[in-house]
Amino acid sequence: MLNHAAEWLRDQCLEHLGVEVEYLPRSGQARVVRALVGRTLFRGENRYGATVRTEARDFLVSSLELTDEPERGDRVRWNGRLFEVLAPNGEPHWRWSDGHMNTRRIHTKEIGDAHDE
């Protein structure tokens, strides 16, 4: 029952709050998916012991639309910008956003203008 509620909530969020992004896997076919846009703040220490904060642009995508596991180096095109799938400090580059594995949270870093590619 909770899984159905989580699926319904995911679908409502993507329908009413989501945007279209183009997912560009390193291998395979590019496709347009709906995603919620978010961010994650990572904290780590540099070699001098100072705290370094890094912000990632996140794209939350339904596991039904993106069935393959995102790979480091895949790209996302959104809002005229290009983002590469990765995360700092050895962190995983994606994770499940819910306990029922309905939504993938994909961490990315902006790498430039989408038209330069």
Side-chain angles (χ1 to χ4, degrees):
M1 183 166 134
L2 288 177
N3 188 36
H4 292 297
E7 289 173 351
W8 178 86
L9 181 59
R10 175 207 57 207
D11 293 342
Q12 294 300 307
C13 287
L14 286 170
E15 180 180 341
H16 298 290
L17 302 172
V19 296
E20 287 190 344
V21 303
E22 186 175 14
Y23 191 82
L24 309 154
R26 288 185 316 158
S27 59
Q29 190 70 17
R31 59 189 170 273
V32 174
V33 297
R34 288 197 64 80
L36 297 171
V37 180
R39 69 183 183 125
T40 298
L41 185 63
F42 292 96
R43 289 191 174 99
E45 287 187 5
N46 66 13
R47 63 181 176 203
Y48 305 108
T51 299
V52 177
R53 297 179 351 164
T54 305
E55 183 176 312
R57 175 65 56 219
D58 294 343
F59 295 94
L60 287 79
V61 180
S62 167
S63 59
L64 297 176
E65 280 199 274
L66 191 63
T67 55
D68 296 332
E69 188 172 305
E71 294 184 25
R72 194 175 305 269
D74 289 354
R75 293 185 173 183
V76 177
R77 187 177 290 139
W78 171 68
N79 204 23
R81 307 301 296 166
L82 193 61
F83 301 83
E84 185 168 334
V85 175
L86 57 83
N89 308 327
E91 294 284 337
H93 54 278
W94 78 274
R95 64 181 171 86
W96 293 111
S97 188
D98 65 340
H100 298 283
M101 294 186 236
N102 291 315
T103 307
R104 297 178 191 273
R105 176 179 286 268
I106 305 166
H107 305 299
T108 68
K109 177 176 177 60
E110 185 175 337
I111 58 171
D113 191 332
H115 305 292
D116 291 342
E117 185 183 39

